Amino acid sequence: MNRTRTVLAAFGAVVALLTAGCGGGNPTSPDTGGKAPSDTIVVGSANFPENVLLAEIYAQALESKGVKVSTKLNIGSREAYMPGLVDGSIDVLPEYSGNLLLYFNKHATETSPDAVYAALPKALPNKLIVLNQSSAQDKDAVVVSQQTASKYHLKSIGDLKPVAKNMTFGGPAEFKTRPDGIPGLKQNYGVSFGSYRTLDTGGPLTVAALANGQVDAADLFTTNSQIAENNFVVLADPKNNFTAQDVLPLINKTKASSTVKSTLNAISAKLDTQTLVMLNKRLDAKQDPASVAKNWLSSVGLL
């Protein structure tokens, strides 16, 4: 079955990110469009490779069950795509439990996987529900180079406190204002960086900037295979500034049929953190997300 796709061209995405990095503004994102057709599940994604891959996994699995699917990929950050989920122009999107909870309840204090998941139903708008969460976690992390870690004896985020004022931090635009971003690092650890460089969302721009010394510390995801490839150091987070981030489907409840729910829940049952690291490594090797999704679904008997 053919699906219509709304996908940003890779070149255009990089140009937009570079522009945002130079100018300090928020990356632009495509309009999520009008309300989704009643007979179609519109699967959306954020603007980073892992989330695009997860959206492809959702879409292809649903399609294999006879569900009519269209995709809107690479939309942008949570601030860009969430209005589409609320207004019904997007039906389902792979989310991360902790950041999703904090988006709707900035004062949430839950940090463990089960506690975060239990708090979500009360925090979400009435139109939205979450399905089963997977054991796959992809948390934000403060990451430094091995050279920087050795120079300043850095093991924990708190170790940055006396030196951060002379450092540049790199990450996506939204990390500057999210509760567990720069504000959280200051509140929980007393860490204030001298400057902030707006880059992509845990992607190649951020990895390159950290590797070549354009930034001294950066926000990367713990499942990013480039952390090990570049011998980067993930700083410990003993105060749980970054909460549990289990992958789970966020869906418009009107589109959550028994077929849709059982299909997406079956994916969550098969998905773990080690799998995410392995799949991200394939993306780093420039494999097409749609092909990576298809191969994994076939390998676990879901396609």
Side-chain angles (χ1 to χ4, degrees):
M1 186 181 299
N2 291 325
R3 283 187 280 132
T4 59
R5 299 175 182 269
T6 305
V7 185
L8 290 179
F11 177 75
V14 171
V15 171
L17 288 166
L18 284 169
T19 303
C22 294
N26 290 329
T28 58
S29 61
D31 188 352
T32 54
K35 190 174 177 63
S38 59
D39 65 341
T40 302
I41 295 288
V42 179
V43 181
S45 87
N47 61 334
F48 58 95
E50 177 183 285
N51 204 255
V52 173
L53 169 65
L54 290 167
E56 281 284 1
I57 288 172
Y58 287 3
Q60 291 185 35
L62 289 170
E63 219 174 34
S64 73
K65 298 298 182 182
V67 178
K68 187 177 180 182
V69 175
S70 67
T71 56
K72 293 183 178 179
L73 307 181
N74 269 314
I75 294 168
S77 67
R78 189 170 287 104
E79 290 78 2
Y81 64 68
M82 195 58 71
L85 281 157
V86 174
D87 70 24
S89 56
I90 304 168
D91 294 315
V92 63
L93 191 141
E95 260 290 2
Y96 302 85
S97 59
N99 282 341
L100 178 61
L101 177 61
L102 286 169
Y103 180 84
F104 287 109
N105 179 9
K106 291 179 172 57
H107 303 291
T109 58
E110 293 82 0
T111 58
S112 71
D114 289 344
V116 170
Y117 185 69
L120 277 170
K122 291 182 180 179
L124 293 175
N126 290 333
K127 293 180 179 180
L128 301 178
I129 60 173
V130 289
L131 303 183
N132 292 356
Q133 65 179 352
S134 70
S135 65
Q137 282 212 46
D138 187 359
K139 299 176 69 172
D140 289 83
V142 175
V143 181
V144 298
S145 68
Q146 181 63 62
Q147 181 180 5
T148 298
S150 299
K151 180 179 180 180
Y152 298 109
H153 309 288
L154 304 177
K155 294 182 179 179
S156 167
I157 295 173
D159 295 337
L160 286 164
K161 185 176 180 179
V163 295
K165 63 184 178 182
N166 298 317
M167 290 182 166
T168 297
F169 190 93
E174 60 271 16
F175 193 83
K176 293 177 68 174
T177 56
R178 283 181 178 170
D180 61 346
I182 293 299
L185 299 181
K186 183 176 182 179
Q187 178 179 338
N188 293 317
Y189 292 103
V191 171
S192 296
F193 290 94
S195 60
Y196 191 96
R197 180 163 185 166
T198 301
L199 299 166
D200 55 4
T201 308
L205 294 182
T206 303
V207 170
L210 187 59
N212 65 28
Q214 291 179 320
V215 298
D216 303 290
D219 171 43
L220 288 176
F221 301 129
T222 52
T223 58
N224 191 326
S225 66
Q226 292 300 304
I227 292 175
E229 293 288 334
N230 288 277
N231 202 27
F232 292 156
V233 176
V234 175
L235 299 183
D237 179 23
K239 295 185 178 181
N240 293 313
N241 178 70
F242 301 114
T243 62
Q245 301 294 349
D246 295 84
V247 174
L248 76 176
L250 176 65
I251 188 169
N252 184 323
K253 66 170 63 174
T254 64
K255 296 294 187 72
S257 67
S258 58
T259 299
V260 170
K261 289 192 289 187
S262 63
T263 301
L264 297 180
N265 285 339
I267 292 170
S268 292
K270 297 284 189 181
L271 199 61
D272 58 25
T273 303
Q274 185 177 0
T275 297
L276 271 186
V277 174
M278 176 266 293
L279 295 175
N280 279 323
K281 192 169 185 177
R282 294 178 183 176
L283 296 179
D284 291 340
K286 308 302 181 185
Q287 294 186 33
D288 176 56
S291 298
V292 174
K294 182 179 180 179
N295 290 337
W296 180 75
L297 286 167
S298 297
S299 72
V300 295
L302 295 178
L303 197 63

